[in-house]
Amino acid sequence: MTSAAAVAASELRFEDLVREHERMVFSIAYRFLQNPASAEEVAQDVFLELFRALSKLESRAHVVFWLRRVACHRSIDYARRHKNAAAEVSWDEMPEPSHRDPHAHSASDPMLAKRLRQVIAALPEKMRLVVILRYQEDAGLEEIAQTMRIPLNTVKSTLHRAHAILREKIGAAIGEANV
Amino acid sequence: MSDRLERELKKALQRVEPPAGFAERVLARAAREEAKSAQPRAWFRWFGMSGLRWAVACALCLALAGSAVLYRHQRQEKGEQAKEQVMLALQITSSKLRIASESVQQISGPEQPVRSEEP
Amino acid sequence: MKRIGAIVALVLAVQLAAFAQDWDPGGTLKKLSARASNTVDVTLDQSMLQFAGGFLNSKDPDEAQAKNIISKLKGLYVHSFQFDKPGQYTEQDVAAIQNYLKGPDWIRIVDVRSKSEGQNVQVYFKKEGQQFKGLVVLATQPTQLTFVDLVGPITPEDLRALGGQFGIPKVEVHPNPAGKKGESK
């Protein structure tokens, strides 16, 4: 294969991967940073890294794992670099990007969903990511541990603490909404 | 952990669509990066003093173009936010009307006794 | 003469703007906002609605329906307040809002209490002669109060369209002779 053909082949693959995984990468960044502009910046950087690292990735499953890991770490890096800017955002003003996944069920109480997202946004960084990976990405505990490069027991205890916080903050609303 | 809370978390944390044109912007950046790394350095040799004037002119053009792009980007962002506000407002309205509609249907069903409240 | 015409036009414009502006009956919404732990405030006048409409995708069924509805509106205002515990708003607060909806222009078309949902919902139409000029929805539950104000010629047909979309599944409730309730999705 000539170098031009090799480049063409890898570019085609890259475009496919961008379109296939843009929701996943953007969503991880958005749920973590709670700002669409910041999430786009992080998500673009993640895909640019993928573009540079593509030849080292072995399979589509490896790409997914790699993208999640890089998205998580870049989101944390971004939040730490822009700590002051992030603190000034008013969550009440943040519109929720539309999502129309035909296989998903919408929350019947938009206020409850919004409240949950706000509580999650206020969790400590690593706890927030564990919750996002668990409930948005449906990742198993072992997978979360590998993605975040933390011990499995740490994932378990972090998730346990997150549940306690969420129950405390949201438990009454869920009981009353009867959704 | 309650199943209920788990269900609500999954609903609340559904994946979201990136802003329109996201993939195109990523691909454009990748293409620029690819072009930049492939660019020959030979053009530096003939970049004399006249080149400096050209560089200034190009920088000004880029700044103007950048401002236009920024304006378009900001307008796009504002538009997307306004759109999301509309959808949120209609979603809230819809959820309340649905509750009213269901209650009215339950009350007015032929097999049900006439009541002013749901049992 | 020209000056009088300009003044008349200005007065009319101010009146129209006032009608289509965000409305806080008795200042109650501001008081509720101060007590709420979480609020949703959507304030979209006609120009913002038109601007937003340009970004709605006609190929998406929900967005196309939204585009159709907001094209008729002069204003869309939603205020939803979440409270930490029951009792943080009172019946007087609710009555203060309802008092503004008792005028001859307002027709209450729905007033239901849903114990299964734990919500009371009232729906009002504003009429001028034979024309519909607006819609208000007031929904209350122990820790949440929602006030929706749609300004513009929204009709009962639009209301039916609103009741089943935007991510909220339409539920067909069938009367059951056994007394078992239909379940919401």
Side-chain angles (χ1 to χ4, degrees), chain A residues 29 44 61 78 84 118 121-122 125 143 163 173 177-178:
Chain A
Q44 282 203 17
Y78 187 97
N84 291 333
Q118 287 181 332
E125 286 175 350
E143 199 179 338
H163 293 164
N178 194 26

Side-chain angles (χ1 to χ4, degrees), chain A residues 66-98:
Chain A
W66 188 97
L67 282 171
R68 278 188 186 149
R69 174 185 271 182
V70 174
C72 287
H73 290 288
R74 292 300 156 264
S75 298
I76 291 179
D77 292 342
Y78 187 97
R80 287 177 186 168
R81 282 199 313 271
H82 297 82
K83 206 168 182 174
N84 291 333
E88 288 164 10
V89 170
S90 163
W91 304 129
D92 279 345
E93 294 164 4
M94 196 68 58
E96 174 72 1
S98 59

Side-chain angles (χ1 to χ4, degrees), chain A residues 27 31 40 52 137 174, chain B residues 4 14-16 25 33:
Chain A
S27 296
R31 292 295 181 211
E40 167 147 6
R52 293 172 206 130
E137 296 301 310
I174 286 186
Chain B
R4 176 78 170 281
Q14 289 174 48
R15 285 182 185 174
V16 295
R25 289 191 286 280
E33 186 158 306

Side-chain angles (χ1 to χ4, degrees), chain B residues 52-86:
Chain B
L52 185 61
R53 283 197 285 267
W54 279 111
V56 169
C58 285
L60 280 169
C61 287
L62 280 170
L64 278 168
S67 301
V69 166
L70 182 65
Y71 170 77
R72 270 199 303 274
H73 180 69
Q74 284 175 341
R75 190 174 186 279
Q76 176 76 22
E77 202 173 301
K78 281 194 169 65
E80 293 289 331
Q81 286 189 353
K83 177 182 110 171
E84 298 314 327
Q85 295 243 313
V86 165

Side-chain angles (χ1 to χ4, degrees), chain A residues 50-69:
Chain A
L50 175 71
F51 183 68
R52 293 172 206 130
L54 202 51
S55 57
K56 297 174 199 159
L57 300 179
E58 293 161 4
S59 65
R60 295 191 92 83
H62 190 189
V63 168
V64 173
F65 171 78
W66 188 97
L67 282 171
R68 278 188 186 149
R69 174 185 271 182

Side-chain angles (χ1 to χ4, degrees), chain C residues 132-153:
Chain C
F132 292 100
K133 289 291 185 184
L135 173 79
V136 162
V137 180
L138 176 62
T140 57
Q141 59 190 106
T143 58
Q144 191 186 98
L145 186 147
T146 301
F147 179 78
V148 174
D149 182 16
L150 275 66
V151 182

Side-chain angles (χ1 to χ4, degrees), chain C residues 22-178:
Chain C
D22 199 7
W23 173 46
D24 185 356
T28 308
L29 300 182
K30 196 173 170 181
K31 291 178 204 163
L32 293 174
S33 178
R35 289 180 234 150
S37 60
N38 182 23
T39 61
V40 168
D41 278 307
V42 176
T43 304
L44 295 162
D45 62 15
Q46 191 169 25
S47 62
M48 277 306 291
L49 286 169
Q50 284 171 354
F51 178 59
F55 291 84
L56 288 164
N57 182 2
S58 304
K59 292 179 187 168
D60 180 294
D62 282 351
E63 291 191 24
Q65 185 67 42
K67 200 168 179 173
N68 179 46
I69 288 172
I70 67 171
S71 67
K72 303 178 187 183
L73 297 182
K74 293 184 169 55
L76 170 57
Y77 310 101
V78 173
H79 305 283
S80 192
F81 309 99
Q82 183 77 37
F83 304 94
D84 281 333
K85 52 189 180 201
Q88 290 195 290
Y89 71 89
T90 64
E91 283 181 16
Q92 285 75 26
D93 293 324
V94 178
I97 298 171
Q98 289 168 332
N99 282 341
Y100 279 81
L101 301 167
K102 284 181 179 171
D105 294 341
W106 291 98
I107 306 165
R108 190 176 64 197
I109 59 165
V110 172
D111 183 1
V112 292
R113 291 183 193 187
S114 170
K115 280 193 179 167
S116 62
E117 297 276 353
Q119 291 208 39
N120 300 344
V121 181
Q122 295 178 333
V123 181
Y124 300 79
F125 268 118
K126 185 178 174 95
K127 275 188 88 175
E128 276 182 20
Q130 294 304 308
Q131 300 220 336
F132 292 100
K133 289 291 185 184
L135 173 79
V136 162
V137 180
L138 176 62
T140 57
Q141 59 190 106
T143 58
Q144 191 186 98
L145 186 147
T146 301
F147 179 78
V148 174
D149 182 16
L150 275 66
V151 182
I154 188 157
T155 63
E157 287 70 35
D158 296 323
L159 193 64
R160 274 195 282 278
L162 266 175
Q165 288 186 279
F166 314 107
I168 308 298
K170 203 166 198 169
V171 177
E172 299 298 332
V173 178
H174 303 285
N176 187 325

